[in-house]
Amino acid sequence: VQLQASGGGLVQAGGSLRLSCAASGSIFSVDDLAWFRVASGKARGLVATITRDGATKYADSVKGRFSISRDNAKNTVALQMNRLNPEDTAVYYCYADLWAVGTPGAGSYWGRGTQVTVSS
């Protein structure tokens, strides 16, 4: 099972980016999906989560600017980021709590990070 993230890049402050992440492989079920980020010199922080039923939670710093969504049929999760500011600069990682075929239960899976840089 792999998580492949895409959509990072360089954007000016006030701009928008959309990150996408797709889970591939032999998957029995996908539960919670999330995005985390790691800014330079800082610990990893939760950005947003979404349950299989669509319930969402956001870090206070991104509420009203970011939106997380998912497509259960395609095992994908997206993060729409609007009104970006330089403090959003970080490597963003997608996360999935999923049950892979051939394993005894759900486990945590991480995608490779994608860099988001917001210039002032």
Side-chain angles (χ1 to χ4, degrees):
V1 173
Q2 288 186 332
L3 298 184
Q4 183 65 49
S6 61
L10 173 64
V11 65
Q12 288 187 331
S16 299
L17 281 175
R18 183 176 178 86
L19 305 182
S20 297
C21 180
S24 62
S26 298
I27 298 169
F28 183 68
S29 66
V30 180
D31 297 320
D32 292 352
L33 293 166
W35 290 93
F36 288 78
R37 66 187 181 185
V38 180
S40 179
K42 295 185 178 180
R44 183 178 63 196
L46 176 65
V47 177
T49 66
I50 185 167
T51 68
R52 184 170 180 80
D53 295 333
T56 59
K57 289 184 180 180
Y58 297 91
D60 288 342
S61 60
V62 307
K63 282 180 181 177
R65 300 188 298 121
F66 291 12
S67 178
I68 188 171
S69 60
R70 65 187 287 168
D71 184 330
N72 289 335
K74 297 180 180 180
N75 290 333
T76 60
V77 60
L79 185 69
Q80 178 65 41
M81 305 184 293
N82 299 324
R83 290 185 282 136
L84 285 158
N85 59 61
E87 289 69 40
D88 296 316
T89 295
V91 179
Y92 285 70
Y93 297 87
C94 61
Y95 164 89
D97 180 18
L98 64 84
W99 189 352
V101 173
T103 63
S108 298
Y109 293 79
W110 293 88
R112 288 188 176 184
T114 183
Q115 176 72 45
V116 171
T117 302
V118 184
S119 63
S120 57

